[in-house]
Amino acid sequence: MLAATGWVGGTPTPLRGASVLLRPTTDADTATLDRIVREPAVAAWWSAPDDYDDMLAIVLDDEVIGAIQYDEETDPEYRHASIDIFLTTAMHGRGLGTDAVRTLARWLIRERGHHRLTIDPAAANTAAIHSYRKVGFKPVGIMRAYGRDYRTGGWADGLLMDLIADELS
């Protein structure tokens, strides 16, 4: 259950998950997030963004361990939101990414009124896909040559996954 929900300056107020806290990023988070996004196991799936201004910091025990972001399609005929996330390698496999995605998904559905969410991991990122399935996301299909493979510089397939509001677990 979310401890706090609201909308301040275009970003949600801190959202509490079972283990993590999601809060707007600050300039003080930049060095930590730059280090995380450059870890080999993270950089395999993410490129370093220009900035972290539109992201939420994922915080565990007062330590920033990653970031999560969302985008909203507001056209009433196609209204939905999408999510992207990265987490420091040291925290992989502990359910913290799942908790962060679930926490943001609940907020997007309950507070922002979205009936459908999408997420689009690299098709080869089996750990991420497994995590998103735990939240209730289901595969829709493969998007061929969808995104850059940062290891090879070539194109890699992506997996489009979606979640309908009543499927959130």
Side-chain angles (χ1 to χ4, degrees), residues 6-169:
W7 194 254
V8 178
T11 57
T13 57
L15 306 174
R16 183 156 306 279
S19 298
V20 301
L21 175 77
L22 309 181
R23 62 152 175 81
T25 57
T26 67
D27 289 342
D29 300 325
T30 299
T32 299
L33 294 172
D34 276 342
R35 178 186 48 76
I36 292 170
V37 82
R38 286 176 171 79
E39 294 172 4
V42 177
W45 313 113
W46 266 81
S47 65
D50 293 333
D51 61 58
Y52 302 96
D53 294 344
D54 295 329
M55 296 187 185
L56 300 172
I58 303 169
V59 181
L60 178 68
D61 300 329
D62 296 321
E63 178 185 350
V64 173
I65 62 168
I68 191 167
Q69 64 184 6
Y70 63 95
D71 187 49
E72 298 181 284
E73 170 58 62
T74 58
D75 181 326
E77 292 187 40
Y78 301 98
R79 184 167 168 73
H80 73 279
S82 59
I83 298 174
D84 282 306
I85 181 174
F86 66 87
L87 198 65
T88 186
T89 309
M91 297 296 165
H92 288 184
R94 296 177 52 184
L96 300 171
T98 302
D99 185 31
V101 170
R102 182 179 288 120
T103 299
L104 184 57
R106 283 183 180 153
W107 180 80
L108 288 166
I109 291 167
R110 293 177 182 171
E111 301 300 322
R112 298 294 294 157
H114 291 286
H115 75 286
R116 180 175 169 270
L117 306 177
T118 62
I119 201 160
D120 57 357
N125 192 345
T126 56
I129 293 165
H130 180 72
S131 174
Y132 306 151
R133 283 180 183 269
K134 290 180 184 177
V135 177
F137 283 90
K138 296 179 179 169
V140 174
I142 295 292
M143 299 178 290
R144 298 176 305 136
Y146 178 66
R148 283 282 179 209
D149 182 328
Y150 300 108
R151 297 163 294 187
T152 68
W155 293 100
D157 293 345
L159 176 64
L160 178 62
M161 302 178 79
D162 72 2
L163 178 145
I164 306 302
D166 62 2
E167 298 170 344
L168 179 65
S169 60

